[in-house]
Amino acid sequence: MNINWYPGHMKKAKESIKKNLSLVDIVYEIVDARIPFSSQNPDIDNIIGQKPRLKILNKSDLANEKNNLEWKEYFKSNGISSVIVDSKKNKGLDDVINMTYLLTEEKRKSLSKKGIKNKPTRAMIIGIPNAGKSTLINSLSKRKGAKVGNKPGVTKGNQWIKIKGDLELLDTPGILWPKFSDKEVGLNLAFTGAIKDELLDLESLAIKLVDKLNSISVEYLEQRYRISVKDKSSYEIILEIGKKRGCIISGGEVDFNKAGNLILDEFRNGKIGRITLEFPD
């Protein structure tokens, strides 16, 4: 299947981030813990330069716990600070705050020597669609429904949101992404809902997801749907799941589209299990 996703306003969003970098002390880069590689922006190093960065592995409750720790160690070995977060349940938020102070300590000491005190520590948050940017902002600020831009260009002006103590968060048109050439990256983004379903062939995507899940462990589908996947194609597996779940149309045939959507939804909601789709080298 071909996945074409090239959000508009990318250039404008990138320019906005570069422009506002001088206003912040640290950048929060939020990624999906299930796909830490696929959901990170490959241009991030060039965009933020030497600015302190904290990678936030969000949606950790949907990813394998062991793999979360492996990714955290991987980033550490590459000189990148990271924290494991479940922003919906407010888990890991204290780690975000503590690491922010740690990574900006040098600058705060420098300001103190110059007699500048009580200056807020400011952070900027960037991330791709559906990585949980809005939820994280609301959780950190303890505000429900804080206005956040979901796509490039929708946030007008700079919106400073008080996080905790003397910490402030800058919400900008922070979603940017170049065309991706790696097929696996495109599929991983589609599996996790980062790409709108309207742009996809959902029947083919469901088959690809079943392929992917079985390549990691056949137990995921077997335990969730009480079936055997041995010697069955992904197409046959989806038909069997559809039959068991009552996805039937007139004539007693399985509604393949409905069955495929069911599997996609249950994966995205964590009902099939805590599943990480890609792993550190």
Side-chain angles (χ1 to χ4, degrees), residues 29 31 33 35-38 40 45 53 55 57 66-84 276 278-281:
E29 181 195 7
V31 298
I35 51 170
F37 173 75
S38 294
Q40 70 181 358
D45 293 332
R53 177 195 355 171
K55 193 180 289 282
L57 297 166
K66 178 184 176 183
N67 296 143
N68 286 340
L69 296 174
E70 289 174 348
W71 273 108
K72 182 177 173 66
E73 188 60 33
Y74 169 80
F75 289 124
K76 180 180 178 181
S77 67
N78 283 276
I80 300 173
S81 299
S82 65
V83 289
I84 298 171
T276 299
E278 58 188 11
F279 314 94
D281 291 333

Side-chain angles (χ1 to χ4, degrees), residues 154-173:
V154 299
T155 302
K156 297 181 179 179
N158 294 329
Q159 183 183 178
W160 291 100
I161 303 170
K162 191 173 182 61
I163 302 179
K164 186 177 182 182
D166 62 348
L167 291 180
E168 293 181 354
L169 183 64
L170 174 61
D171 177 37
T172 65

Side-chain angles (χ1 to χ4, degrees), residues 126-139:
I126 64 175
I128 68 164
N130 210 41
K133 179 172 171 272
S134 301
T135 304
L136 179 64
I137 291 175
N138 290 330
S139 298

Side-chain angles (χ1 to χ4, degrees), residues 6-24:
Y6 189 47
H9 306 96
M10 189 191 79
K11 182 179 179 182
K12 182 178 178 181
K14 184 182 290 188
E15 289 174 351
S16 174
I17 286 180
K18 288 182 177 179
K19 176 182 176 181
N20 288 302
L21 271 176
S22 61
L23 303 177
V24 301

Side-chain angles (χ1 to χ4, degrees), residues 243-260:
K243 187 175 181 180
K244 293 199 71 170
R245 287 300 185 89
C247 303
I248 307 298
I249 55 178
S250 58
E253 294 185 5
V254 173
D255 186 334
F256 190 87
N257 186 57
K258 186 175 181 180

